[in-house]
Amino acid sequence: MTDLTKYNYVLQHADNCLILGQRLGEWCGHGPILEQDIAMTNISLDLIGQARMWYQYAAEIQNEGKSEDDIAYLRDAWGYRNVLLVEQPNGDFAQTIFRQFLYDTYSCYFYEALMNSSDERLAAIAAKSHKEALYHIKWSGDWVIRLGDGTEESHNRMVAAVQELWSYAGELIKPNETEAKAHEEGYGVDLSAIKEKRDAKIREVLTEATLEVPESTYAHEGGKDGRHSEHLGYILADLQFLQRAYPGLEW
Amino acid sequence: MDIKSLEDRFNEKIDEDVRIEPKDWMPDNYRKTLIRQISQHAHSEIVGMLPEANWISRAPTLRRKAAALAKVQDEAGHGLYLYSACETLGVERDQLLQDLHSGKAKYSSIFNYPTLTWADMGAIGWLVDGAAIMNQVPLCRASYGPYARAMVRVCKEESFHQRQGFEIMLTLCKGSEEQKKMAQDALNRWWWPSLMMFGPTDEASTHTEQSMRWGIKRFTNDELRQKFVDATKPQADLLGITIPDKDLKWNEERGHYDFGEINWEEFFNVIKGNGPCNKQRVDARKSAYDNGAWVREAAAAHAEKKSKKQAAA
Amino acid sequence: MKNWPLWEIFIRSKAGLNHKHVGSLHAADEEMAIQNARDVYTRRNEGVSIWVVKSEHITASDPDDSDPLYEPAKDKVYRHPTFYDLPDEVKHM
């Protein structure tokens, strides 16, 4: 391993994409209407595609002859560095939408900033992913507004989703040691610089959706350093089943 | 124009292979048969998403996961194209879905079988999509325009499905003993239900003659089934796995493979609702629909508010 | 409940070409119709521009009128370039 910090930095983002893509994929075949079933699968596909770019780069940095799949599939929960938000269950459509919206408001500005990374590979991953993220935020933002300012039932469900997930919003933009160091070294994003834009976007959309922005700033954290919620183990049980039951094979 | 001359003109068009379009006059029975056939096909696409979606979370590599997602998503798209074609005949999608949920409408009975191992993803792509393509390609020339056009789109997209299925099988068959066993087991379970996908024998088929006359069916069930067996046997040989039919052998005289008797009792039982997963499949579709009701209502309500605001501005 | 209306979707497959009807779908409003069209009808890179029109806003000609509508154009051969004889020396006109 040449650069452990960069490896961990890349893994954090790879894992975010994979776990959220995996969660969204659970909707496939069960969406509220065909058109949205297809839309959610598109986002899931974008995220899995992004995850692959990140893992491939992680494998190169690690330089131990491992493949994207070795890294994606063969760690235990403490080795995953995704934020807690993305492993939260799908819940109802409102929760899925709000989870997506919180992730999109982060990833959009994150990728925008990462396009200026001193690391060309990171900048390239960012350029491709940013376009996708722009579409995702439009989709999830529109749905936050529709549901918030729709019927009484949808409004109440959105209020519940915001309550349920708000405490996972903070971790996204609070740098851990890896991110702080990555920023110092010039290839990582300064999260404090995107916080303001992100918060403003959340406020703008929630306001249009006739929803209140919660005052609490309490944030659950630890995911980025491998301390997860109970949900992740079950996600991994599904994800890794074949690789674990039949180790070392081609699929 | 009186009914007789309308009918004559309709038949003339059918004979000349001119497409019938939504606003054209058509016999009631033609319309009804089309609605039944197209919606049945649409239902098969969206119910067909379920057995495969079952394995998306467990796909063994990221590449396979992406392919599985894209494939199952395509099926949603195909369902959508076909429901749209059906709507041009004057039935709303919502009505069609209610018929599916109530059990009034049928879908392909193959999707009432479970997907037990990863090899089932291969077998479904290879056999089920293979059989579907045999059925569907001729329908690109169906006499009803919107149906034919939907089928052109479906067939274009479907071609990657069978290939990805066969590739999964090939990888397994070249793999470990356990993987090969997995592939053989999947073939054993999916072979006969795949043959049943072509429907009852020509002798027992009630709709074939009229549907052929109307150009909404281009080959008989038995013709297509034979074509499928002929195409698939060499592929199984290439994979090095055995089709579970001791009567399957080349018939030099006919220039086709002979094959064993299909268990029609099983077929009719699954159609009647006694397949291993009939209930789960319809329940899953129903709950997606019911749990989505508030979402659809909310979006409709919001759209109305928005347009009122725009009108007031 | 009121169902989402049906929309007809038109896609420009390449810069410079006409938008072409590709099919229909359901959406609650025009913006969603565009997004759905993008997700449903351009998954394989099929488009660079999308039009959506509520199906109820399409007016179609009546097939029973097809004789008076289209027959009269059939014998106007002088509208086509091949109607005019030119000497072989004049190439490409």
Side-chain angles (χ1 to χ4, degrees):
Chain A
M1 178 94 58
T2 48
D3 188 341
L4 185 62
T5 304
K6 193 181 269 187
Y7 176 74
N8 284 337
Y9 188 71
V10 169
L11 264 195
Q12 272 182 221
H13 300 99
D15 291 341
N16 276 344
C17 296
L18 173 63
I19 302 300
L20 187 56
Q22 175 89 353
R23 274 291 191 220
L24 268 186
E26 292 171 19
W27 272 104
C28 188
H30 306 276
I33 187 165
L34 269 180
E35 283 83 349
Q36 295 306 321
D37 203 304
I38 293 171
M40 281 192 278
T41 310
N42 262 351
I43 297 177
S44 175
L45 275 167
D46 285 346
L47 290 167
I48 299 295
Q50 292 174 16
R52 292 186 68 184
M53 292 191 287
W54 285 106
Y55 283 123
Q56 284 161 12
Y57 191 34
E60 282 171 42
I61 297 169
Q62 190 189 42
N63 198 20
E64 290 174 12
K66 286 191 184 166
S67 70
E68 59 179 46
D69 292 321
D70 293 335
I71 298 177
Y73 282 79
L74 299 176
R75 287 168 290 152
D76 202 341
W78 65 70
Y80 283 79
R81 295 179 169 271
N82 57 278
V83 292
L84 299 173
L85 174 77
V86 295
E87 67 199 45
Q88 297 309 305
N90 285 344
D92 64 6
F93 189 69
Q95 282 181 47
T96 292
I97 287 295
F98 197 61
R99 184 185 62 197
Q100 190 64 35
F101 178 67
L102 286 179
Y103 180 75
D104 294 341
T105 44
Y106 151 78
S107 80
C108 208
Y109 298 117
F110 165 75
Y111 281 131
E112 186 183 66
L114 190 68
M115 287 196 278
N116 299 316
S117 171
S118 61
D119 181 315
E120 273 176 31
R121 280 293 291 280
L122 292 179
I125 292 174
K128 179 165 191 308
S129 307
H130 181 243
K131 286 184 198 130
E132 295 172 346
L134 283 175
Y135 185 75
H136 301 170
I137 200 178
K138 172 91 180 104
W139 181 83
S140 61
D142 280 359
W143 269 109
V144 169
I145 294 165
R146 275 188 204 110
L147 298 180
D149 187 22
T151 60
E152 194 185 335
E153 179 178 6
S154 71
H155 181 83
N156 292 340
R157 284 177 185 264
M158 268 319 291
V159 170
V162 173
Q163 273 170 2
E164 182 80 25
L165 294 168
W166 187 251
S167 55
Y168 298 101
E171 190 187 5
L172 286 159
I173 38 94
K174 190 170 167 199
N176 66 352
E177 232 172 90
T178 303
E179 286 168 312
K181 210 162 156 221
H183 171 52
E184 259 169 48
E185 292 184 13
Y187 62 84
V189 167
D190 177 10
L191 291 179
S192 64
I194 66 172
K195 181 179 187 305
E196 210 170 299
K197 280 197 263 188
R198 179 195 87 142
D199 289 352
K201 180 72 181 177
I202 292 178
R203 186 167 298 279
E204 174 203 316
V205 170
L206 288 192
T207 305
E208 195 180 340
T210 69
L211 296 164
E212 274 171 42
V213 181
E215 276 167 25
S216 166
T217 53
Y218 181 76
H220 292 295
E221 52 193 302
K224 291 173 176 181
D225 297 309
R227 295 188 309 278
H228 291 277
S229 64
E230 289 177 348
H231 302 298
L232 186 65
Y234 293 100
I235 296 176
L236 298 184
D238 265 5
L239 179 81
Q240 301 183 345
F241 161 59
L242 282 164
Q243 290 279 359
R244 296 295 192 185
Y246 305 94
L249 302 180
E250 291 289 314
W251 296 94
Chain B
M1 219 181 296
D2 59 63
I3 288 283
K4 177 76 180 67
S5 33
L6 284 167
E7 240 173 48
D8 286 347
R9 208 161 76 173
F10 171 83
N11 286 327
E12 244 170 62
K13 277 193 191 164
I14 295 280
D15 291 340
E16 289 166 13
D17 223 11
V18 173
R19 297 286 168 270
I20 309 297
E21 294 296 340
K23 293 190 79 176
D24 291 341
W25 184 89
M26 59 188 89
D28 269 354
N29 252 336
Y30 176 82
R31 186 185 297 272
K32 271 192 207 137
T33 307
L34 271 175
I35 291 173
R36 199 193 62 231
Q37 182 173 332
I38 301 173
S39 66
Q40 202 166 311
H41 188 168
H43 298 328
S44 300
E45 295 281 356
I46 62 163
V47 176
M49 295 171 74
L50 300 169
E52 288 183 281
N54 191 21
W55 277 91
I56 289 173
S57 67
R58 291 175 290 172
T61 67
L62 295 179
R63 177 174 176 269
R64 292 281 181 222
K65 191 184 289 290
L69 273 166
K71 193 206 156 186
V72 180
Q73 184 198 41
D74 271 352
E75 277 151 19
H78 298 170
L80 193 153
Y81 308 152
L82 289 158
Y83 284 126
S84 296
C86 227
E87 292 200 59
T88 64
L89 292 159
V91 216
E92 285 208 25
R93 189 200 293 174
D94 223 56
Q95 179 60 50
L96 299 169
L97 290 177
Q98 276 160 28
D99 291 347
L100 170 68
H101 300 158
S102 72
K104 189 178 152 207
K106 302 283 178 223
Y107 55 88
S108 181
S109 58
I110 191 124
F111 301 118
N112 292 316
Y113 291 87
T115 46
L116 303 177
T117 72
W118 171 250
D120 291 16
M121 294 295 279
I124 290 183
W126 172 39
L127 300 172
V128 178
D129 290 301
I133 291 170
M134 293 260 159
N135 260 324
Q136 290 167 4
V137 168
L139 293 175
C140 296
R141 295 188 296 118
S143 62
Y144 186 57
Y147 187 25
R149 290 190 287 273
M151 290 314 300
V152 168
R153 199 166 256 282
V154 169
C155 287
K156 225 195 272 174
E157 298 185 352
E158 195 88 35
S159 57
F160 106 78
H161 296 178
Q162 198 187 8
R163 292 172 73 119
Q164 69 96 32
F166 192 76
E167 195 196 75
I168 290 174
M169 293 303 274
L170 197 61
T171 311
L172 293 174
C173 290
K174 286 196 301 201
S176 72
E177 274 312 307
E178 278 163 320
Q179 284 176 311
K180 229 176 278 177
K181 202 171 129 192
M182 207 185 268
Q184 179 66 57
D185 168 68
L187 173 57
N188 292 349
R189 283 181 291 111
W190 290 98
W191 174 253
W192 290 106
S194 299
L195 292 194
M196 295 175 196
M197 277 179 75
F198 297 95
T201 58
D202 294 350
E203 264 171 60
S205 171
T206 42
H207 305 296
T208 297
E209 203 185 328
Q210 179 64 75
S211 295
M212 300 263 291
R213 167 74 191 92
W214 277 335
I216 52 179
K217 190 167 179 157
R218 295 289 187 174
F219 295 97
T220 72
N221 296 351
D222 286 335
E223 282 168 352
L224 289 168
R225 189 162 19 238
Q226 181 70 59
K227 229 169 122 178
F228 175 73
V229 173
D230 290 348
T232 310
K233 169 69 169 86
Q235 294 163 357
D237 292 344
L238 202 143
L239 291 171
I241 46 181
T242 312
I243 291 175
D245 178 359
K246 60 179 173 20
D247 297 320
L248 183 77
K249 55 174 177 294
W250 181 251
N251 182 327
E252 193 64 55
E253 206 175 305
R254 289 202 310 127
H256 292 291
Y257 283 97
D258 289 339
F259 53 96
E261 182 67 25
I262 289 168
N263 182 348
W264 292 112
E265 200 187 315
E266 177 183 326
F267 174 74
F268 288 112
N269 243 321
V270 178
I271 287 189
K272 258 187 266 164
N274 297 324
C277 301
N278 293 57
K279 185 171 180 315
Q280 289 93 313
R281 300 293 186 240
V282 174
D283 284 355
R285 286 311 316 165
K286 258 205 294 222
S287 80
Y289 182 84
D290 293 342
N291 294 332
W294 70 270
V295 178
R296 300 189 298 274
E297 268 165 41
H302 179 76
E304 208 175 305
K305 282 187 200 175
K306 215 168 63 173
S307 75
K308 270 192 192 141
K309 253 186 233 160
Q310 272 165 2
Chain C
M1 187 197 92
K2 229 179 97 209
N3 290 324
W4 292 358
L6 193 66
W7 301 75
E8 300 301 320
I9 311 302
F10 300 81
I11 294 199
R12 186 199 298 285
S13 60
K14 264 202 309 219
L17 297 183
N18 287 322
H19 285 77
K20 197 174 149 195
H21 184 240
V22 293
S24 55
L25 50 74
H26 288 275
D29 54 50
E30 54 273 347
E31 244 175 294
M32 196 203 282
I34 296 249
Q35 287 178 19
N36 289 354
R38 177 259 193 197
D39 285 326
V40 171
Y41 288 106
T42 69
R43 295 200 301 286
R44 288 178 171 75
N45 220 351
E46 293 101 328
V48 295
S49 163
I50 297 172
W51 286 352
V52 300
V53 184
K54 258 191 197 169
S55 307
E56 64 186 31
H57 291 157
I58 301 257
T59 308
S61 61
D62 186 339
D64 287 340
D65 289 342
S66 62
D67 283 356
L69 281 175
Y70 313 116
E71 278 299 318
K74 280 192 182 155
D75 62 356
K76 311 268 191 305
V77 284
Y78 44 80
R79 288 194 193 275
H80 299 278
T82 45
F83 179 73
Y84 303 94
D85 285 328
L86 294 184
D88 287 346
E89 292 78 33
V90 185
K91 288 168 188 156
H92 311 300
M93 181 180 280

